[in-house]
């Protein structure tokens, strides 16, 4: 919620919330970004929809949260999700190190389904993956119910929820970066959620094409995916 002292040249927009409105910042240029950094904004989180269709997400997010120190399990979950999403449901998926504990899987969407419908779809995907490998994956929210399994978090796919923005710094030692990667980079045995840091990210940006370059162009409607998932579940 933008404070009243913010300069007038920073764009804001009123967004509905329970019981009223909140004045969101529209960070769409370098000047606004630098101003926010100078306000000690470290980690940027963004909504899953755009201003013009605020109730209709244009991306779907799965947060893969492994037991501490078991990043290999996050990789396994990511690959299982990718197979389901791309091979079975015919959707495009993208992967990112979270800069925290695990991986984020993002699916670009045509913004034509309401948050409620996308939320239900994401929940069923997470549940299906968990049930097909219940010894390693779970959708249990409470940590004491996970029993050493990786938590597949689909709860971000709701109105007013946010996800960490690509290339955001995390507030941990060495300042790790939430970094979009190619799927093939999961084969790197040295990879971890905090592999890329503020000291190493520049080399990656200068030597590699953005792995998410075609994200928006890959957006699809999930109507058919919903039907195919119901068949798999049924």
């Amino acid at each position: 919620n933008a404070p009243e002292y913010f300069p007038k040249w920073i764009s804001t927009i009123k967004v509905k919330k329970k019981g009223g409105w909140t004045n969101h910042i529209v960070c769409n240029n370098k000047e606004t970004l630098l101003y926010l950094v100078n306000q000690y904004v470290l980690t940027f989180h963004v909504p899953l929809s755009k201003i013009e269709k605020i109730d209709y997400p244009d991306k779907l997010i799965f947060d893969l949260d492994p037991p501490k120190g078991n990043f290999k399990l996050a990789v396994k979950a990511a690959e299982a999700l990718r197979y389901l999403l791309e091979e079975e449901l015919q959707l495009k998926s993208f992967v990112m190190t979270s800069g925290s504990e695990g991986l984020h899987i993002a699916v670009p969407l045509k913004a034509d389904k309401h948050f409620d419908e996308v939320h239900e779809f994401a929940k069923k995907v997470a549940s299906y993956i968990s049930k097909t490998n219940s010894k390693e994956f779970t959708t249990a929210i409470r940590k004491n119910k996970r029993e050493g399994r990786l938590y597949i978090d689909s709860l971000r796919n709701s109105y007013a929820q946010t996800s960490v923005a690509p290339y955001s710094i995390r507030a941990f030692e060495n300042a790790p970066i939430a970094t979009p990667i190619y799927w093939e980079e999961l084969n790197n045995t040295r990879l971890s959620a905090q592999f890329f840091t503020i000291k190493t990210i520049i080399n990656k940006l200068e030597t590699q094409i953005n792995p998410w370059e075609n994200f928006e162009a890959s957006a699809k409607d999930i109507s058919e995916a919903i039907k195919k998932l119901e068949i798999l579940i049924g």
Side-chain angles (χ1 to χ4, degrees), residues 35-70:
Y35 184 87
L36 293 174
V37 169
N38 281 324
Q39 294 295 305
Y40 290 117
V41 176
L42 189 66
T43 305
F44 287 81
H45 283 75
V46 293
L48 277 66
S49 58
K50 290 189 172 66
I51 293 167
E52 57 270 18
K53 296 191 76 175
I54 198 73
D55 292 308
Y56 297 82
D58 61 0
K59 56 181 170 289
L60 187 157
I61 300 287
F62 295 99
D63 183 358
L64 307 181
D65 185 11
K68 198 168 184 66
N70 196 351

Side-chain angles (χ1 to χ4, degrees), residues 43-101:
T43 305
F44 287 81
H45 283 75
V46 293
L48 277 66
S49 58
K50 290 189 172 66
I51 293 167
E52 57 270 18
K53 296 191 76 175
I54 198 73
D55 292 308
Y56 297 82
D58 61 0
K59 56 181 170 289
L60 187 157
I61 300 287
F62 295 99
D63 183 358
L64 307 181
D65 185 11
K68 198 168 184 66
N70 196 351
F71 186 74
K72 288 183 179 179
L73 193 55
V75 172
K76 187 172 183 177
E79 291 174 340
L81 260 175
R82 184 192 187 192
Y83 181 84
L84 174 62
L85 292 166
E86 296 196 357
E87 300 300 324
E88 301 281 5
L89 304 181
Q90 306 302 304
L91 299 171
K92 187 68 175 173
S93 61
F94 295 77
V95 62
M96 177 175 79
T97 59
S98 69
S100 179
E101 298 290 339

Side-chain angles (χ1 to χ4, degrees), residues 38 64 74 105 169 191:
N38 281 324
L64 307 181
I105 307 301
I169 299 171
L191 187 71

Side-chain angles (χ1 to χ4, degrees), residues 173-208:
E173 186 176 0
N174 299 317
I177 308 288
T179 308
I181 60 175
Y182 288 103
W183 280 103
E184 293 74 21
E185 292 181 78
L186 292 181
N187 297 324
N188 182 356
T189 56
R190 294 171 54 237
L191 187 71
S192 69
Q194 300 183 14
F195 183 76
F196 299 101
T197 71
I198 199 169
K199 290 184 178 180
T200 64
I201 192 67
I202 298 302
N203 180 63
K204 181 178 178 64
L205 293 174
E206 290 179 343
T207 59
Q208 188 183 74

